[in-house]
């Protein structure tokens, strides 16, 4: 049982390297969905395994064994293994829960401030212009969706580059990319090995918006130039906006610009290979976690005297 519960805690460390390869082998939209789904499965499996390890350790304590109506000792590996594993799992779950709550509160405050600022600013359709000396532009979800752009950013771009930038941000809102970013942010706190996957999800979202904007405008070079100039205008500075509000200037801009300037190539074998690896990680993690929880439940029933040994 303990070994089955440990497997889902090791698999997430393999997802980061795989996720970083996805943008080069899958289409951006496919990469966004594939990485996010794998991230959710691995996060859920790791939380289930950590919870089962915590319960296993608790049921080794006489007080909790009595509360659980255990009439026989719970069959597990040696206490020298189970109890330290349970203590470590408790620590990981506690830290993860605290960071999730802290991140959620911080993002909610940032979103509320951004919506309030947008509601007070002049609008034209879905475009909202904020008076600011700092160049910035991002897609703000909500009802209605907004494209927030500062006056400094408008002054930094030519007319055609502005339209290209707006097309990019509209693609974010149309694709609901903020949902993927929210899921990635929450899942990343479930296991240390999943934290690096957030950047892969964010890159896939930006690449998906890049390609959608290029299709809408009909000029890949214009989209690349607009993104590059917008990124240069911001100078790498970070602005007060929700982390799930995607912006054209986030992520590895040189890599995105290079992808826009080259002709997209389809590599079915490479795409199938990376998709199978992601699916295998998700299947192994979910399968081991599910089997471990089932075995744990069975051992509890045996310890309660409900099933014969």
């Amino acid at each position: 049982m303990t070994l089955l519960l440990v497997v889902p805690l090791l698999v997430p460390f393999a997802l980061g390297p795989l996720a970083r390869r996805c943008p080069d082998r899958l289409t951006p939209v496919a990469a966004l969905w594939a990485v996010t789904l794998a991230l959710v499965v691995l996060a859920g499996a790791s939380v289930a395994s950590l919870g089962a390890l915590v319960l296993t350790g608790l049921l080794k304590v006489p007080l909790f064994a009595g509360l659980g109506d255990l009439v026989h000792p719970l069959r597990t590996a040696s206490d020298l293994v189970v109890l330290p594993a349970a203590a470590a799992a408790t620590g990981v779950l506690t830290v993860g829960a605290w960071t999730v709550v802290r991140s959620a509160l911080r993002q909610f405050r940032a979103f509320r401030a951004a919506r309030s600022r947008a509601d007070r600013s002049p609008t034209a359709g879905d475009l909202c212009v904020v008076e600011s000396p700092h160049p910035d532009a991002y897609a703000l979800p909500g009802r209605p969706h907004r494209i927030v752009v500062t006056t400094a950013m408008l002054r930094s771009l030519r007319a055609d580059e502005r339209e290209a930038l707006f097309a990019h941000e509209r693609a974010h809102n149309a694709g609901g990319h903020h949902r993927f970013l929210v899921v990635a942010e929450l899942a990343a706190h479930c296991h240390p090995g999943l934290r690096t996957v957030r950047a892969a999800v964010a890159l896939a979202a930006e690449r998906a918006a890049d390609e959608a904007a290029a299709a809408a405008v009909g000029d890949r070079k214009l989209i690349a130039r607009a993104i590059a100039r917008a990124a240069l205008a911001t100078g790498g500075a970070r602005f007060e906006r929700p982390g799930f509000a995607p912006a054209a200037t986030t992520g590895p801009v040189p890599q995105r610009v290079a992808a826009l300037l080259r002709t997209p190539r389809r590599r079915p074998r490479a795409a199938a290979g990376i998709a199978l690896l992601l699916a295998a990680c998700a299947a192994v993690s979910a399968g081991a976690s599910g089997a471990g929880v089932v075995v744990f439940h069975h051992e509890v029933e045996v310890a309660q005297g409900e099933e014969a040994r």
Side-chain angles (χ1 to χ4, degrees):
M1 175 184 69
T2 304
L3 181 59
L4 286 172
L5 295 176
V6 169
V7 170
L9 304 180
L10 299 177
V11 175
F13 291 106
L15 183 60
L18 286 177
R20 287 192 292 271
R21 295 176 179 270
C22 282
D24 295 330
R25 289 165 171 76
L26 299 173
T27 64
V29 174
L32 182 60
W33 277 98
V35 174
T36 305
L37 289 175
L39 178 61
V40 169
V41 172
L42 266 63
S46 63
V47 168
S49 295
L50 288 170
L53 285 173
V54 171
L55 291 176
T56 301
L58 289 177
L59 292 177
K60 301 291 286 186
V61 178
L63 174 62
F64 292 101
L67 293 175
D69 297 326
L70 269 61
V71 297
H72 304 293
L74 185 67
R75 294 189 303 184
T76 63
S78 170
D79 289 355
L80 296 177
V81 175
V82 172
L83 295 180
T90 302
V92 172
L93 283 178
T94 302
V95 172
W98 164 246
T99 57
V100 163
V101 172
R102 186 178 61 179
S103 176
L105 290 175
R106 183 174 64 250
Q107 296 296 335
F108 176 75
R109 287 194 293 264
F111 174 71
R112 187 170 58 180
R115 287 299 306 188
S116 177
R117 186 165 54 246
D119 292 340
R120 296 194 307 266
S121 302
T123 60
D126 62 348
L127 184 64
C128 174
V129 180
V130 176
E131 182 69 34
S132 174
H134 305 292
D136 195 18
Y138 56 91
L140 183 64
R143 294 184 179 179
H145 290 330
R146 295 291 188 194
I147 299 171
V148 179
V149 60
T150 64
T151 52
M153 180 62 82
L154 293 177
R155 291 192 294 267
S156 300
L157 302 178
R158 299 186 329 198
D160 57 345
E161 293 168 344
R162 295 175 196 164
E163 293 303 320
L165 185 65
F166 299 158
H168 175 96
E169 305 302 351
R170 287 192 179 98
H172 278 311
N173 282 333
H177 294 163
H178 62 281
R179 298 186 180 93
F180 294 91
L181 299 179
V182 168
V183 168
E185 174 66 23
L186 296 178
H189 294 284
C190 296
H191 190 285
L194 299 177
R195 293 176 183 173
T196 59
V197 185
R198 284 180 296 190
V201 173
L203 174 58
E206 292 303 326
R207 288 284 297 113
D210 291 342
E211 294 297 330
V217 173
D219 190 339
R220 299 178 66 85
K221 291 183 178 180
L222 174 59
I223 299 295
R225 187 171 70 246
I227 292 172
R229 292 195 62 178
L232 288 174
T234 61
R238 296 181 63 86
F239 301 95
E240 293 184 2
R241 60 170 180 254
F244 58 82
T249 56
T250 58
V253 173
Q255 179 180 343
R256 292 166 50 205
V257 169
L260 282 167
L261 293 179
R262 64 173 178 260
T263 303
R265 294 182 300 171
R266 294 187 178 276
R267 295 186 291 176
R269 290 185 179 180
I274 198 71
L276 285 175
L277 287 174
L278 289 175
C281 284
V284 168
S285 186
S289 177
V293 170
V294 169
V295 172
F296 168 73
H297 183 263
H298 173 74
E299 294 298 338
V300 171
E301 289 183 334
V302 170
Q304 290 172 336
E306 297 180 9
E307 293 189 12
R309 289 175 179 267

